[in-house]
Coordinates of all heavy atoms in Angstrom, one line a residue:
M269 N -59.3 -52.5 20.6 CA -58.9 -52.6 22.0 C -58.7 -51.1 22.5 O -58.1 -50.3 21.8 CB -57.4 -53.2 21.9 CG -57.6 -54.6 21.6 SD -56.2 -55.6 21.6 CE -55.3 -55.7 22.9
A270 N -59.3 -51.0 23.5 CA -59.2 -49.7 24.2 C -58.1 -49.6 25.1 O -57.9 -50.4 25.9 CB -60.6 -49.4 24.8
Q271 N -57.4 -48.5 25.0 CA -56.3 -48.3 25.9 C -56.7 -47.3 26.8 O -57.3 -46.3 26.6 CB -55.0 -47.6 25.1 CG -54.5 -48.7 24.0 CD -53.2 -48.0 23.3 OE1 -53.0 -46.9 23.5 NE2 -52.6 -48.9 22.5
T272 N -56.3 -47.6 28.0 CA -56.6 -46.7 29.1 C -55.4 -45.9 29.5 O -54.3 -46.4 29.7 CB -57.0 -47.4 30.4 OG1 -56.0 -48.4 30.8 CG2 -58.3 -48.3 30.1
K273 N -55.5 -44.6 29.4 CA -54.4 -43.7 29.7 C -54.6 -43.2 31.1 O -55.7 -43.0 31.6 CB -54.5 -42.4 28.8 CG -54.2 -42.7 27.4 CD -54.2 -41.4 26.6 CE -53.8 -41.6 25.2 NZ -53.9 -40.4 24.4
P274 N -53.4 -43.2 31.9 CA -53.5 -42.8 33.1 C -53.9 -41.3 33.1 O -53.4 -40.6 32.4 CB -52.1 -42.9 33.8 CG -51.2 -43.1 32.6 CD -52.1 -43.6 31.4
T275 N -54.8 -41.0 34.0 CA -55.3 -39.6 34.0 C -54.5 -38.8 35.0 O -54.5 -39.1 36.2 CB -56.7 -39.6 34.4 OG1 -56.9 -40.3 35.6 CG2 -57.6 -40.3 33.3
T276 N -53.7 -37.9 34.4 CA -53.0 -37.0 35.3 C -53.4 -35.6 34.9 O -53.7 -35.3 33.8 CB -51.5 -37.2 35.1 OG1 -51.1 -37.0 33.9 CG2 -51.1 -38.5 35.5
T277 N -53.3 -34.8 36.0 CA -53.7 -33.4 35.6 C -52.4 -32.7 35.3 O -51.3 -33.0 35.7 CB -54.4 -32.8 36.9 OG1 -53.5 -32.8 37.9 CG2 -55.7 -33.5 37.2
P278 N -52.5 -31.5 34.7 CA -51.2 -30.7 34.5 C -50.6 -30.3 35.7 O -49.3 -30.3 35.8 CB -51.8 -29.5 33.8 CG -53.1 -29.9 33.1 CD -53.6 -30.9 34.1
S279 N -51.2 -30.1 36.8 CA -50.6 -29.8 38.1 C -49.8 -30.9 38.6 O -48.7 -30.7 39.2 CB -51.6 -29.3 39.1 OG -52.5 -30.3 39.3
Q280 N -50.4 -32.1 38.4 CA -49.5 -33.4 38.8 C -48.3 -33.5 38.0 O -47.2 -33.8 38.5 CB -50.5 -34.6 38.7 CG -51.5 -34.6 39.7 CD -52.4 -35.8 39.5 OE1 -52.6 -36.4 38.4 NE2 -53.1 -36.3 40.5
D281 N -48.4 -33.2 36.7 CA -47.3 -33.3 35.8 C -46.2 -32.3 36.2 O -45.0 -32.6 36.3 CB -47.6 -33.1 34.4 CG -48.4 -34.3 33.7 OD1 -48.3 -35.4 34.3 OD2 -49.1 -34.1 32.7
I282 N -46.6 -31.1 36.5 CA -45.7 -30.1 36.9 C -45.1 -30.4 38.2 O -43.9 -30.2 38.5 CB -46.5 -28.7 37.0 CG1 -46.9 -28.2 35.6 CG2 -45.6 -27.7 37.7 CD1 -47.7 -27.0 35.6
A283 N -45.8 -31.0 39.2 CA -45.2 -31.4 40.4 C -44.3 -32.5 40.2 O -43.2 -32.5 40.9 CB -46.4 -31.8 41.3
E284 N -44.5 -33.5 39.3 CA -43.6 -34.5 39.0 C -42.3 -34.0 38.4 O -41.2 -34.4 38.8 CB -44.3 -35.6 38.2 CG -43.4 -36.8 37.8 CD -43.0 -37.6 39.0 OE1 -43.7 -37.7 40.1 OE2 -41.9 -38.2 39.0
L285 N -42.5 -33.1 37.5 CA -41.3 -32.5 36.9 C -40.5 -31.6 37.8 O -39.2 -31.6 37.8 CB -41.7 -31.6 35.7 CG -42.1 -32.2 34.4 CD1 -42.6 -31.2 33.4 CD2 -41.0 -33.0 33.8
S286 N -41.1 -31.0 38.7 CA -40.5 -30.2 39.7 C -39.7 -31.1 40.6 O -38.5 -30.8 41.0 CB -41.5 -29.5 40.5 OG -40.8 -28.7 41.6
K287 N -40.2 -32.3 41.0 CA -39.4 -33.3 41.8 C -38.3 -33.7 41.1 O -37.2 -33.9 41.6 CB -40.4 -34.5 42.2 CG -41.3 -34.2 43.2 CD -42.3 -35.4 43.5 CE -43.4 -35.2 44.3 NZ -44.3 -36.4 44.5
Q288 N -38.4 -34.0 39.7 CA -37.2 -34.6 39.0 C -36.2 -33.5 38.8 O -34.9 -33.8 38.9 CB -37.8 -35.0 37.6 CG -38.6 -36.3 37.6 CD -39.0 -36.7 36.3 OE1 -38.8 -36.0 35.3 NE2 -39.9 -37.7 36.4
I289 N -36.7 -32.3 38.7 CA -35.7 -31.1 38.6 C -34.9 -31.0 39.9 O -33.7 -30.9 39.9 CB -36.3 -29.9 38.2 CG1 -36.8 -29.9 36.8 CG2 -35.4 -28.6 38.3 CD1 -37.7 -28.7 36.3
D290 N -35.6 -31.1 41.0 CA -35.0 -31.0 42.3 C -33.9 -32.1 42.4 O -32.8 -32.0 43.0 CB -36.0 -31.1 43.5 CG -36.8 -29.8 43.5 OD1 -36.3 -28.8 43.1 OD2 -37.9 -29.8 44.1
A291 N -34.3 -33.3 42.0 CA -33.4 -34.5 42.1 C -32.1 -34.2 41.3 O -31.0 -34.6 41.7 CB -34.0 -35.7 41.7
L292 N -32.4 -33.7 40.0 CA -31.2 -33.4 39.2 C -30.3 -32.3 39.7 O -29.1 -32.4 39.7 CB -31.7 -32.9 37.8 CG -32.3 -34.0 36.8 CD1 -32.8 -33.2 35.6 CD2 -31.1 -34.8 36.5
K293 N -30.9 -31.4 40.4 CA -30.1 -30.3 41.1 C -29.3 -31.0 42.2 O -28.0 -30.6 42.4 CB -31.1 -29.2 41.7 CG -31.6 -28.3 40.8 CD -32.4 -27.2 41.4 CE -33.1 -26.3 40.4 NZ -34.0 -25.3 41.2
E294 N -29.8 -31.9 42.9 CA -29.0 -32.5 44.0 C -27.9 -33.3 43.4 O -26.8 -33.3 44.0 CB -29.9 -33.3 44.9 CG -30.9 -32.7 45.8 CD -31.9 -33.5 46.5 OE1 -31.4 -34.7 46.7 OE2 -32.9 -33.1 47.0
D295 N -28.2 -34.0 42.3 CA -27.2 -34.9 41.6 C -26.0 -33.9 41.1 O -24.8 -34.2 41.3 CB -27.8 -35.7 40.5 CG -28.7 -36.8 40.9 OD1 -28.6 -37.1 42.2 OD2 -29.4 -37.3 40.1
I296 N -26.5 -32.8 40.5 CA -25.3 -31.9 40.1 C -24.6 -31.3 41.2 O -23.4 -31.2 41.1 CB -26.1 -30.8 39.2 CG1 -26.5 -31.4 37.9 CG2 -25.1 -29.6 38.9 CD1 -27.4 -30.4 37.0
S297 N -25.2 -31.0 42.3 CA -24.5 -30.4 43.5 C -23.5 -31.5 44.0 O -22.4 -31.2 44.3 CB -25.5 -30.1 44.5 OG -24.9 -29.7 45.7
G298 N -24.0 -32.8 44.0 CA -23.1 -33.8 44.5 C -21.9 -34.0 43.6 O -20.8 -34.2 44.0
L299 N -22.2 -33.9 42.2 CA -21.1 -34.1 41.3 C -20.1 -32.9 41.4 O -18.9 -33.1 41.4 CB -21.6 -34.1 39.9 CG -22.2 -35.4 39.5 CD1 -22.9 -35.3 38.1 CD2 -21.2 -36.6 39.4
S300 N -20.6 -31.7 41.5 CA -19.8 -30.5 41.7 C -18.8 -30.6 42.9 O -17.7 -30.4 42.9 CB -20.6 -29.2 41.9 OG -21.4 -29.0 40.7
S301 N -19.4 -31.2 44.0 CA -18.6 -31.5 45.3 C -17.6 -32.5 45.1 O -16.4 -32.3 45.5 CB -19.5 -31.9 46.4 OG -20.4 -30.9 46.8
A302 N -18.0 -33.5 44.3 CA -17.0 -34.6 44.1 C -15.9 -34.1 43.2 O -14.7 -34.3 43.5 CB -17.7 -35.8 43.4
F303 N -16.2 -33.4 42.2 CA -15.2 -32.6 41.2 C -14.2 -31.8 42.1 O -13.0 -31.7 41.9 CB -15.7 -32.0 40.1 CG -16.2 -32.9 39.0 CD1 -17.5 -32.7 38.4 CD2 -15.4 -34.1 38.6 CE1 -17.9 -33.6 37.5 CE2 -15.9 -34.8 37.6 CZ -17.1 -34.6 37.0
A304 N -14.8 -31.0 42.9 CA -14.1 -30.0 43.8 C -13.1 -30.8 44.7 O -11.9 -30.4 44.8 CB -14.9 -29.1 44.6
S305 N -13.5 -31.8 45.3 CA -12.7 -32.7 46.2 C -11.6 -33.3 45.3 O -10.5 -33.4 45.8 CB -13.6 -33.7 46.8 OG -12.8 -34.7 47.5
L306 N -12.0 -33.9 44.1 CA -10.9 -34.4 43.3 C -9.9 -33.5 42.9 O -8.6 -33.7 42.9 CB -11.7 -35.1 42.1 CG -10.7 -35.8 41.1 CD1 -10.0 -36.9 41.7 CD2 -11.5 -36.1 39.9
A307 N -10.3 -32.2 42.5 CA -9.4 -31.2 42.1 C -8.4 -30.9 43.2 O -7.2 -30.7 43.1 CB -10.1 -30.0 41.6
S308 N -9.0 -30.7 44.4 CA -8.2 -30.4 45.5 C -7.2 -31.4 45.9 O -6.0 -31.1 46.1 CB -9.2 -30.2 46.8 OG -8.4 -29.9 47.9
S309 N -7.6 -32.7 45.9 CA -6.6 -33.8 46.2 C -5.6 -33.9 45.1 O -4.4 -34.2 45.4 CB -7.4 -35.1 46.3 OG -8.0 -35.5 45.2
S310 N -6.0 -33.6 43.8 CA -5.0 -33.7 42.7 C -4.1 -32.6 42.9 O -2.8 -32.7 42.7 CB -5.7 -33.6 41.4 OG -6.5 -34.7 41.1
R311 N -4.4 -31.4 43.3 CA -3.6 -30.3 43.5 C -2.7 -30.5 44.7 O -1.5 -30.2 44.5 CB -4.4 -29.0 43.8 CG -3.5 -27.7 44.0 CD -4.3 -26.6 44.7 NE -4.6 -27.1 46.1 CZ -5.6 -26.7 46.8 NH1 -6.5 -26.0 46.3 NH2 -5.8 -27.2 48.1
D312 N -3.2 -31.1 45.7 CA -2.3 -31.3 47.0 C -1.3 -32.4 46.4 O 0.0 -32.2 47.0 CB -3.2 -31.9 48.1 CG -4.1 -30.8 48.6 OD1 -3.8 -29.6 48.3 OD2 -5.0 -31.2 49.4
A313 N -1.7 -33.4 45.8 CA -0.7 -34.4 45.3 C 0.4 -33.8 44.4 O 1.6 -34.2 44.6 CB -1.4 -35.6 44.6
A314 N 0.0 -32.9 43.5 CA 1.0 -32.3 42.7 C 1.9 -31.4 43.5 O 3.2 -31.5 43.2 CB 0.3 -31.5 41.6
I315 N 1.5 -30.7 44.5 CA 2.3 -29.9 45.3 C 3.3 -30.8 46.1 O 4.4 -30.4 46.2 CB 1.5 -28.9 46.2 CG1 0.8 -27.8 45.4 CG2 2.2 -28.3 47.3 CD1 -0.3 -27.1 46.1
T316 N 2.8 -31.8 46.6 CA 3.6 -32.7 47.4 C 4.7 -33.3 46.6 O 5.8 -33.4 46.8 CB 2.8 -33.8 48.0 OG1 1.8 -33.2 48.9 CG2 3.5 -34.7 48.9
G317 N 4.3 -33.7 45.3 CA 5.2 -34.3 44.4 C 6.4 -33.3 44.0 O 7.5 -33.6 43.9
A318 N 5.9 -32.1 43.8 CA 6.9 -31.1 43.4 C 7.9 -30.8 44.6 O 9.1 -30.6 44.3 CB 6.2 -29.8 42.9
R319 N 7.3 -30.8 45.7 CA 8.2 -30.4 46.9 C 9.2 -31.6 47.1 O 10.3 -31.4 47.4 CB 7.4 -30.3 48.2 CG 6.7 -29.0 48.2 CD 5.9 -28.8 49.5 NE 5.3 -27.4 49.5 CZ 4.2 -27.1 50.2 NH1 3.6 -28.0 51.0 NH2 3.8 -25.9 50.1
E320 N 8.7 -32.9 46.9 CA 9.7 -34.0 47.1 C 10.8 -33.9 45.9 O 11.9 -34.2 46.2 CB 8.9 -35.3 47.0 CG 8.0 -35.6 48.0 CD 7.2 -36.8 48.0 OE1 7.1 -37.4 46.9 OE2 6.4 -37.1 48.9
K321 N 10.4 -33.6 44.7 CA 11.4 -33.6 43.6 C 12.4 -32.4 43.9 O 13.6 -32.5 43.6 CB 10.6 -33.3 42.3 CG 9.8 -34.4 41.9 CD 10.4 -35.2 40.7 CE 9.5 -36.2 40.2 NZ 10.1 -37.4 39.7
A322 N 11.8 -31.3 44.4 CA 12.8 -30.2 44.7 C 13.7 -30.6 45.8 O 14.9 -30.3 45.8 CB 11.9 -28.9 45.1
A323 N 13.2 -31.3 46.8 CA 14.1 -31.7 47.9 C 15.2 -32.6 47.4 O 16.3 -32.6 47.8 CB 13.3 -32.3 49.0
Q324 N 14.7 -33.6 46.5 CA 15.7 -34.6 45.9 C 16.8 -33.8 45.0 O 18.0 -34.2 45.2 CB 15.0 -35.6 45.0 CG 14.1 -36.6 45.8 CD 13.3 -37.4 44.9 OE1 13.3 -37.2 43.7 NE2 12.6 -38.4 45.5
A325 N 16.3 -32.8 44.3 CA 17.3 -32.1 43.4 C 18.2 -31.2 44.4 O 19.5 -31.2 44.0 CB 16.5 -31.2 42.5
R326 N 17.7 -30.7 45.4 CA 18.6 -30.0 46.3 C 19.6 -30.8 47.0 O 20.8 -30.5 47.0 CB 17.8 -29.2 47.3 CG 18.6 -28.5 48.3 CD 17.7 -27.8 49.3 NE 18.6 -27.0 50.2 CZ 18.2 -26.2 51.2 NH1 16.9 -26.1 51.4 NH2 19.0 -25.6 51.9
A327 N 19.2 -32.1 47.4 CA 20.1 -33.0 48.1 C 21.1 -33.4 47.1 O 22.3 -33.5 47.4 CB 19.3 -34.2 48.5
A328 N 20.8 -33.7 45.7 CA 21.7 -34.1 44.7 C 22.7 -33.0 44.5 O 23.9 -33.2 44.3 CB 20.9 -34.5 43.4
G329 N 22.3 -31.8 44.4 CA 23.1 -30.5 44.2 C 24.1 -30.4 45.5 O 25.3 -30.2 45.2
E330 N 23.6 -30.6 46.6 CA 24.5 -30.4 47.8 C 25.6 -31.5 47.7 O 26.8 -31.4 48.1 CB 23.7 -30.5 49.0 CG 22.9 -29.4 49.3 CD 22.0 -29.4 50.5 OE1 21.9 -30.6 51.1 OE2 21.4 -28.4 50.9
D331 N 25.2 -32.8 47.3 CA 26.1 -33.9 47.2 C 27.2 -33.5 46.1 O 28.4 -33.8 46.4 CB 25.5 -35.1 46.8 CG 24.6 -35.7 47.9 OD1 24.7 -35.2 49.2 OD2 23.8 -36.6 47.7
Q332 N 26.8 -32.9 45.0 CA 27.7 -32.5 44.1 C 28.8 -31.5 44.4 O 29.9 -31.5 44.2 CB 27.0 -32.1 42.7 CG 26.2 -33.2 42.0 CD 27.2 -34.2 41.4 OE1 28.3 -33.9 40.9 NE2 26.9 -35.5 41.4
V333 N 28.2 -30.5 45.1 CA 29.0 -29.4 45.7 C 30.0 -30.1 46.7 O 31.3 -29.6 46.6 CB 28.1 -28.3 46.4 CG1 29.0 -27.4 47.2 CG2 27.5 -27.6 45.3
D334 N 29.5 -30.9 47.5 CA 30.5 -31.5 48.6 C 31.6 -32.3 47.8 O 32.8 -32.3 48.1 CB 29.7 -32.5 49.4 CG 28.9 -31.7 50.4 OD1 29.1 -30.5 50.7 OD2 27.9 -32.3 51.0
A335 N 31.2 -33.1 46.8 CA 32.2 -33.8 46.0 C 33.3 -32.8 45.3 O 34.5 -33.1 45.3 CB 31.5 -34.7 44.9
M336 N 32.7 -31.7 44.8 CA 33.6 -30.8 44.1 C 34.6 -30.1 45.1 O 35.8 -30.0 44.8 CB 32.9 -29.7 43.4 CG 32.2 -30.2 42.1 SD 31.0 -29.1 41.3 CE 31.7 -27.5 41.6
L337 N 34.1 -29.8 46.3 CA 34.9 -29.3 47.3 C 36.0 -30.2 47.8 O 37.2 -29.9 48.0 CB 34.2 -28.9 48.6 CG 33.3 -27.5 48.3 CD1 32.4 -27.4 49.6 CD2 34.1 -26.4 48.1
R338 N 35.6 -31.5 47.9 CA 36.6 -32.5 48.3 C 37.7 -32.7 47.2 O 38.9 -32.8 47.5 CB 36.0 -33.9 48.6 CG 35.2 -34.0 49.9 CD 34.8 -35.5 50.2 NE 34.0 -36.0 49.1 CZ 32.6 -35.9 49.1 NH1 32.0 -35.2 50.0 NH2 32.0 -36.5 48.1
N339 N 37.2 -32.7 45.9 CA 38.2 -32.8 44.8 C 39.1 -31.6 44.8 O 40.4 -31.7 44.6 CB 37.5 -32.9 43.6 CG 36.9 -34.3 43.3 OD1 37.3 -35.2 44.0 ND2 35.8 -34.3 42.5
A340 N 38.6 -30.4 45.0 CA 39.4 -29.2 45.1 C 40.5 -29.3 46.2 O 41.6 -28.8 46.1 CB 38.6 -27.9 45.2
E341 N 40.0 -29.6 47.3 CA 40.9 -29.8 48.4 C 42.1 -30.8 48.2 O 43.2 -30.5 48.5 CB 40.2 -30.2 49.7 CG 39.4 -29.1 50.3 CD 38.6 -29.6 51.5 OE1 38.8 -30.7 52.0 OE2 37.7 -28.7 52.0
E342 N 41.7 -32.0 47.6 CA 42.6 -33.0 47.2 C 43.6 -32.4 46.1 O 44.9 -32.6 46.3 CB 42.0 -34.2 46.7 CG 42.9 -35.3 46.4 CD 42.1 -36.6 45.8 OE1 41.0 -36.8 46.1 OE2 42.8 -37.3 45.0
L343 N 43.1 -31.7 45.1 CA 44.1 -31.1 44.1 C 44.9 -30.1 44.7 O 46.2 -30.0 44.4 CB 43.1 -30.5 43.0 CG 43.9 -29.9 41.8 CD1 44.7 -30.9 41.2 CD2 42.8 -29.3 40.9
G344 N 44.4 -29.3 45.7 CA 45.3 -28.3 46.4 C 46.4 -28.9 47.3 O 47.5 -28.5 47.2
Q345 N 46.0 -30.0 47.8 CA 47.1 -30.8 48.6 C 48.1 -31.4 47.7 O 49.3 -31.3 48.0 CB 46.4 -31.8 49.4 CG 45.6 -31.3 50.6 CD 44.8 -32.4 51.4 OE1 44.8 -33.5 50.9 NE2 44.2 -32.0 52.5
R346 N 47.7 -32.0 46.5 CA 48.6 -32.5 45.6 C 49.5 -31.5 45.0 O 50.7 -31.7 44.9 CB 47.9 -33.2 44.4 CG 47.4 -34.6 44.8 CD 47.1 -35.4 43.5 NE 45.7 -35.7 43.6 CZ 45.0 -36.1 42.5 NH1 45.6 -36.2 41.4 NH2 43.7 -36.3 42.6
T347 N 48.9 -30.4 44.8 CA 49.7 -29.3 44.2 C 50.8 -28.7 45.3 O 52.0 -28.6 44.9 CB 48.9 -28.0 43.8 OG1 47.9 -28.5 42.8 CG2 49.6 -26.9 43.2
S348 N 50.3 -28.6 46.5 CA 51.3 -28.2 47.5 C 52.4 -29.2 47.7 O 53.5 -28.8 47.8 CB 50.4 -28.1 48.8 OG 51.4 -27.7 49.9
T349 N 52.1 -30.5 47.6 CA 53.1 -31.6 47.7 C 54.0 -31.5 46.5 O 55.2 -31.5 46.7 CB 52.4 -32.9 47.8 OG1 51.6 -32.9 49.0 CG2 53.4 -34.0 48.0
A350 N 53.6 -31.3 45.4 CA 54.4 -31.2 44.2 C 55.3 -30.0 44.2 O 56.5 -30.1 43.7 CB 53.5 -31.2 42.9
I351 N 54.8 -28.9 44.6 CA 55.7 -27.7 44.8 C 56.8 -27.9 45.8 O 58.0 -27.5 45.6 CB 54.8 -26.5 45.3 CG1 54.0 -26.1 44.0 CG2 55.7 -25.3 45.6 CD1 52.9 -25.0 44.4
R352 N 56.5 -28.6 46.9 CA 57.5 -28.8 47.9 C 58.6 -29.9 47.4 O 59.7 -29.7 47.8 CB 56.9 -29.4 49.2 CG 56.2 -28.3 50.0 CD 55.7 -28.9 51.4 NE 54.8 -28.0 52.0 CZ 53.5 -28.2 52.3 NH1 53.0 -29.4 52.0 NH2 52.8 -27.3 52.7
E353 N 58.1 -30.9 46.7 CA 59.0 -31.8 46.2 C 59.9 -31.3 44.9 O 61.0 -31.7 44.8 CB 58.3 -33.1 45.7 CG 57.6 -33.8 46.9 CD 56.8 -35.0 46.5 OE1 56.6 -35.2 45.3 OE2 56.3 -35.7 47.4
Q354 N 59.4 -30.4 44.1 CA 60.0 -29.9 43.0 C 59.8 -28.5 42.8 O 59.1 -28.0 42.0 CB 59.5 -30.6 41.7 CG 59.7 -32.2 41.7 CD 59.0 -32.8 40.5 OE1 58.4 -32.2 39.7 NE2 59.3 -34.1 40.4
P355 N 60.5 -27.6 43.7 CA 60.3 -26.2 43.6 C 60.7 -25.5 42.4 O 60.1 -24.6 41.9 CB 61.0 -25.8 44.9 CG 62.0 -26.7 45.2 CD 61.4 -28.1 44.7
A356 N 61.8 -26.0 41.7 CA 62.3 -25.4 40.5 C 61.4 -25.5 39.4 O 61.1 -24.6 38.6 CB 63.7 -26.0 40.2
M357 N 60.7 -26.7 39.3 CA 59.7 -26.9 38.2 C 58.5 -26.0 38.5 O 58.0 -25.5 37.5 CB 59.3 -28.3 38.1 CG 58.4 -28.6 37.0 SD 57.6 -30.2 36.6 CE 58.2 -31.4 37.6
A358 N 58.1 -25.9 39.7 CA 57.0 -25.0 40.1 C 57.2 -23.6 39.7 O 56.4 -22.9 39.2 CB 56.6 -25.1 41.5
V359 N 58.4 -23.1 40.0 CA 58.8 -21.7 39.6 C 58.8 -21.6 38.1 O 58.3 -20.5 37.6 CB 60.2 -21.3 40.2 CG1 60.6 -20.0 39.7 CG2 60.1 -21.2 41.7
G360 N 59.3 -22.6 37.4 CA 59.4 -22.5 35.9 C 58.0 -22.5 35.4 O 57.7 -21.8 34.4
L361 N 57.0 -23.3 35.8 CA 55.7 -23.3 35.4 C 55.0 -21.9 35.7 O 54.2 -21.5 34.8 CB 54.9 -24.5 36.1 CG 55.2 -25.9 35.5 CD1 54.4 -26.9 36.3 CD2 54.9 -26.0 34.0
A362 N 55.2 -21.4 36.8 CA 54.6 -20.1 37.1 C 55.2 -19.1 36.2 O 54.4 -18.2 35.8 CB 54.9 -19.8 38.6
V363 N 56.4 -19.0 36.0 CA 57.0 -18.1 35.0 C 56.4 -18.2 33.7 O 56.1 -17.2 32.9 CB 58.5 -18.1 35.0 CG1 59.2 -17.2 33.9 CG2 59.1 -17.6 36.4
G364 N 56.3 -19.5 33.2 CA 55.8 -19.7 31.8 C 54.3 -19.3 31.7 O 53.9 -18.7 30.7
A365 N 53.6 -19.6 32.8 CA 52.1 -19.3 32.8 C 51.9 -17.8 32.8 O 51.1 -17.2 32.0 CB 51.4 -19.8 33.9
G366 N 52.8 -17.0 33.6 CA 52.8 -15.6 33.6 C 53.2 -15.0 32.3 O 52.6 -14.0 31.8
F367 N 54.2 -15.6 31.6 CA 54.6 -15.0 30.3 C 53.5 -15.2 29.2 O 53.2 -14.3 28.6 CB 55.9 -15.7 29.9 CG 56.3 -15.3 28.6 CD1 57.0 -14.2 28.3 CD2 56.1 -16.2 27.4 CE1 57.4 -13.8 27.0 CE2 56.6 -15.8 26.1 CZ 57.2 -14.6 25.9
L368 N 52.9 -16.4 29.2 CA 51.7 -16.5 28.3 C 50.5 -15.6 28.6 O 49.9 -15.1 27.7 CB 51.3 -18.1 28.4 CG 52.2 -19.1 27.7 CD1 51.7 -20.5 27.9 CD2 52.4 -18.8 26.3
L369 N 50.3 -15.5 29.9 CA 49.1 -14.6 30.2 C 49.5 -13.1 29.8 O 48.6 -12.5 29.3 CB 48.9 -14.6 31.8 CG 47.7 -13.9 32.3 CD1 46.5 -14.4 31.6 CD2 47.6 -14.1 33.8
G370 N 50.8 -12.7 29.9 CA 51.2 -11.4 29.6 C 51.1 -11.3 28.1 O 50.6 -10.2 27.6
L371 N 51.4 -12.2 27.3 CA 51.3 -12.1 25.8 C 49.9 -12.0 25.5 O 49.5 -11.2 24.6 CB 52.0 -13.3 25.2 CG 53.4 -13.4 25.1 CD1 53.8 -14.8 24.5 CD2 54.0 -12.3 24.2
L372 N 49.0 -12.8 26.0 CA 47.6 -12.8 25.7 C 47.0 -11.4 26.1 O 46.1 -10.8 25.3 CB 46.8 -13.9 26.4 CG 47.1 -15.3 25.9 CD1 46.4 -16.4 26.7 CD2 46.7 -15.5 24.3
L373 N 47.2 -10.8 27.2 CA 46.6 -9.6 27.5 C 47.3 -8.4 27.0 O 46.7 -7.4 26.8 CB 46.8 -9.5 29.2 CG 45.8 -10.5 30.0 CD1 46.1 -10.3 31.4 CD2 44.4 -10.3 29.5
G374 N 48.6 -8.6 26.6 CA 49.3 -7.4 25.9 C 48.9 -7.2 24.5 O 49.1 -6.1 24.0
R375 N 48.3 -8.1 23.9 CA 48.0 -8.0 22.5 C 46.7 -7.2 22.3 O 46.3 -6.9 21.2 CB 47.8 -9.4 21.8 CG 49.1 -10.0 21.6 CD 49.0 -11.3 20.8 NE 50.3 -11.8 20.6 CZ 50.6 -12.7 19.7 NH1 49.6 -13.1 18.8 NH2 51.8 -13.2 19.6
R376 N 46.0 -6.9 23.3 CA 44.8 -6.2 23.2 C 45.1 -4.8 22.7 O 45.0 -3.9 22.5 CB 44.0 -6.1 24.6 CG 43.4 -7.4 24.8 CD 42.6 -7.4 26.1 NE 41.6 -8.5 26.0 CZ 40.8 -8.6 26.9 NH1 40.6 -7.7 28.0 NH2 39.9 -9.6 26.9

């Protein structure tokens, strides 16, 4: 059985290879563009997520500071009320705290 081979010339083979190489270049260029777009959108999403987390952390911190300020004000009011109601005990506590502080600092 005789097989018939398509007859192509070397210049035709080179032209065909050149077309395939050009197609590959276009595919690679398209892939590069797609990867660049994906990287850009991933970067933007990461930045947005980080900004949202920072805003949430800041809001939580501000809430904690507000709660601490309210507690400090309440404690100050309770202390003021206790001093008005029992001035002798307040003076005694102040003298005792001063004495202990003096002992601690005097031993240096």
Side-chain angles (χ1 to χ4, degrees):
M269 294 178 60
Q271 293 183 352
T272 58
K273 291 185 178 178
T275 56
T276 59
T277 64
S279 62
Q280 290 174 334
D281 289 341
I282 292 173
E284 181 63 28
L285 283 174
S286 180
K287 286 179 190 177
Q288 290 178 1
I289 289 173
D290 288 340
L292 283 173
K293 284 181 183 178
E294 288 177 23
D295 289 345
I296 290 172
S297 175
L299 285 173
S300 296
S301 297
F303 283 134
S305 176
L306 178 63
S308 176
S309 64
S310 295
R311 182 198 68 211
D312 292 344
I315 289 171
T316 301
R319 285 183 179 155
E320 288 174 359
K321 295 255 185 212
Q324 290 172 354
R326 181 178 179 179
E330 288 174 352
D331 291 343
Q332 290 295 323
V333 168
D334 290 342
M336 288 173 33
L337 288 174
R338 283 192 302 273
N339 287 340
E341 287 176 8
E342 183 180 332
L343 183 60
Q345 289 174 354
R346 278 199 245 160
T347 303
S348 177
T349 302
I351 290 171
R352 284 190 194 114
E353 291 175 356
Q354 299 175 355
M357 186 184 349
V359 170
L361 286 174
V363 168
F367 178 74
L368 287 176
L369 187 60
L371 283 176
L372 290 174
L373 293 176
R375 290 189 176 199
R376 286 185 158 184

